[in-house]
Amino acid sequence: MKPSPIRTTCPYCGVGCGILVSREANGWSVRGDPEHPANRGRLCSKGAALAETLDLDSRLLHPQIEGRRVAWHSALDTVARRFREIIAEHGPQAVAFYVSGQLLTEDYYVANKLMKGFIGSANIDTNSRLCMSSAVAGHKRAFGEDVVPACYEDVELADLVVLVGSNAAWTHPVLYQRLAATKQARAQMRVVVIDPRRTATAELADLHLPLAPGTDAWLFNGLLAHLRRAGGLDWGYLQTHVEGFGETLAAVERLTLSEVAAACELPEADVATFYRWFAQTTRSVTLFSQGINQSSSGVDKVNSILNVHLATGRVGQPGASPFSLTGQPNAMGGREVGGLANQLAAHMDFTPETIERVRRFWRAPSMATAPGLKTVELFEAVRAGDIRALWVIATNPAVSLPQVDHVVEALRRCEFLVVSDVTARTDTARHAHVLLPAAAWGEKDGTVTNSERRISRQRAFLSLPGEARPDWWIVCEVARRMGFSSDFAYRSPAEIFREHARLSSLENGGTRLFDLGPLASLDDVAYDRLEPLQWPPTSRSVGTARLFTDGRYPTPTGKARMLPIQPRPPARRADTAHPFVLNTGRIRDQWHTMTRTGKAARLFAHIGEPCVEMHPRDLAEHGLRPGGLARVYNTQGEALVRVMESAAQRPGSVFVPMHWNDQYTARGRVGALIGAITDPISGQPEFKHAPVAVLAYAADWQGFLLTRHDPQAICVDYWARVRGQDCWRYELAGSLAQWPAEETLRLWLGGGRERIELRDPAAGRYRAARVETGRLQAVLFLERQAAALPRRQWLESLFARERLGEDERAGLLLGHPGRAQDSGGIICVCHGVGERAIVAAIEGGARSVEALGLALKAGTCCGSCIPELRALLTRARVPETTAA
Ligand code: SF4
């Protein structure tokens, strides 16, 4: 009998989609859970490819000390002993944990408890600092607590959806699909996208406002001023439920439409349209994300958005609310346990009363009494030697932080660095003194909370490989060895969850909305069966869809607060030496530093190399060529990436994805270009605005290597490692001095000297293929002129053959069989449909996304490519028709 599918949750973005995993004859299969309220059966391209990421290739399977495999007890003893010694000699502020929104709530809880209650420092911060902390601070200032009042259903109930600083089509694809489906069904719904780039999300927009980077607070201040002038304020709500509105309205009353339009570099008519729609539409939801948060004035930007929703009474109402989208699967869970250094636990800050309360509850011998260091400060303290022992859990700061070269220096200098991870080789792990193998998705059990406060279970369906262990177990074993046995003697995540729930309701009395009291009595079976529910629960099975519905807020007066916002420009401006503004972010099919999505070949089909997106006018003015290579640099550092032409960019702005790192390219870490500039309240770095210069990289030669065997060590100026279906692809470029010698050719191609070769030194050409018993092993093409290189698709397809045919063998060094057409860059990764095929279908009469689906299957699986299908239809100037 086929076992029933396991119900679990996607480990990627904050949408928190439910997943059904089943064992099939040919391996694991993954599909969307139709009963999960977040996704109702949908999955995006990343979630749909999860089954391809389950192999043990690249996994860390055994504890290591200084690169040598050791037994668990030895690794744990060493970690506990070194932390104890450093604390004894230098005090508790000399140690720190840096954790992650990838952790489950139970893992997070024990790490926070150990650091803040038993070590006696609050130096535990999470990578959510990089994506969410401005929203946290904004919520606390306005609402009195870090609360997202809305739910996903509100996006479907709204008549106006405003997306600001959010490319949801790529970063929260399933929520975007829900929005797109609703918009198609409800003609009266309007969508406004506010983003300097015309992203895939803007394909759905009735109005796109490509505002100047960093000017969001001007736009929302102007909206507030307009609402007042146009009679759009809800005075009854303001007088009953809000304080601070007098000063806030006074601060914007002189702001005119033309001043806003000038500050934001937008046409006045477009700003007026947005303001009119917002004023007229009671049911309006504003979705905001990293484009707002990742700024040196991120908290103020958040409050400028919350101000307009408070001023109109549109908070926590069906189809009317501000709505912060979280980036990671459990960024919210981290916020709930107190994983940020400036929070204590369970939505309690550091006050004498709360410190005492938590001390009693934990029976804590050594309570932290003040906030710890926020991420950027924390790594600076490591670099300065003030923090001597650091434990990094489930994250990769050597890639993801600003000023990564300083971070790498900090990791190198750190007296004692422990890294818990699922992946053996990461940019961070290479500096660790102790490596601890953690359980991965599919192997671990616990809970996560998504953007709409919905707590869902992640359930294990795989046994633990090698000696991998869950993070909660690892933390507790170290705690026990540090002398805290009885307080960390948990036997299961369920036990930890119950304690977390009890703490949330301790002496709460309605003062904190985060209260999981009804879940504190779940037994193990009930915990295992826990259905997704939104906190705060009113019973063990009923959650709360919306908060602040009655206009009461968890502040001393019970009222929300509006704050006068003085807009500030980004900390650093472009200048003649660095004329472009760099924006960073996610692409559609990769996740964070690619440790997991890098395992699925189809997720490289959309964008396979690190790149810089630039407007065609900027390319022309700076002598750059689409498809060429460019150095993106500033005083911080440099990246070497592929140039992508994109009319979606604002002239003067460039975009570089955040994912690439030293495991996948030579110099692609965008963090090297970002300064350590943070919001003064939240400590969130300004990832969206760094002045840079872009210069063409003049390669003496370019080429590519396709190989079954991954050589890993490539030493040329540019290489990018791309996982294909049956081979690895390396894109290569270098100087004359880096032209590969025979020894290098052997390393790249493998085997001895037996290979089919074409050498033409005068033309700067080298082509080679190695075939063993009829099976292709490797192909290498190097050319002085990149234009002479063939497309890779046909050659890559030959790696699927058990034996090459005569025609195929004959075409090897040509790079094509002489007659095949490739399908262009892949747009639909689920069905492998390329751009050329789509354009041909459009030219052949396909007039809608649905028609393309019927003709090619494109867009019919996860739907992540639908915005790009729409863009191709628009580009072909084909008005989309609605399917009958
Ligand atoms: Fe996972 Fe995609 Fe759903 Fe996000 S939208 S949770 S990445 S399936």
Side-chain angles (χ1 to χ4, degrees), residues 217-218 220-226 228-229 233 244-256 259-260 304 307 562-567:
W218 272 276
F220 280 89
N221 272 1
L223 175 56
L224 189 61
H226 172 82
R228 181 176 197 170
R229 281 195 288 269
L233 301 181
F245 61 88
E247 309 93 276
T248 308
L249 292 170
V252 299
E253 71 184 348
R254 288 209 189 83
L255 193 55
T256 64
E259 282 170 334
V260 172
S304 73
N307 279 347
M562 282 173 65
L563 290 105
I565 299 302
Q566 180 62 50

Side-chain angles (χ1 to χ4, degrees), residues 9-19 38-39 42-48 50 152 168 170-177 327 329 450 588 591 862 864:
T9 313
C10 176
Y12 294 125
C13 84
V15 179
C17 296
I19 284 184
N39 57 319
R42 294 179 171 93
L43 289 181
C44 76
S45 50
K46 292 186 286 286
L50 270 165
Y152 294 155
W170 285 12
T171 59
H172 299 88
V174 166
L175 181 61
Y176 177 83
Q177 287 170 28
N450 73 359
R588 194 188 76 189
W591 177 256
C862 76
S864 298

Side-chain angles (χ1 to χ4, degrees), residues 117-175:
F118 290 75
I119 288 176
S121 161
N123 285 341
I124 171 170
D125 211 30
T126 158
N127 61 5
S128 300
R129 176 74 58 197
L130 310 179
C131 55
M132 292 315 309
S133 53
S134 293
V136 172
H139 288 153
K140 286 167 80 171
R141 291 205 303 184
F143 303 149
E145 187 174 340
D146 174 23
V147 170
V148 174
C151 60
Y152 294 155
E153 193 188 26
D154 291 328
V155 175
E156 294 164 330
L157 293 175
D159 294 321
L160 174 66
V161 174
V162 181
L163 294 112
V164 50
S166 161
N167 183 10
W170 285 12
T171 59
H172 299 88
V174 166
L175 181 61

Side-chain angles (χ1 to χ4, degrees), residues 283-296:
R283 288 195 167 209
S284 47
V285 165
T286 304
L287 296 163
F288 61 96
S289 193
Q290 265 68 314
I292 291 294
N293 299 333
Q294 291 180 329
S295 159
S296 57

Side-chain angles (χ1 to χ4, degrees), residues 174-196:
V174 166
L175 181 61
Y176 177 83
Q177 287 170 28
R178 285 180 65 168
L179 170 64
T182 309
K183 188 164 189 320
Q184 194 166 30
R186 288 180 48 219
Q188 76 273 28
M189 179 190 246
R190 287 190 179 118
V191 173
V192 176
V193 171
I194 302 167
D195 195 312

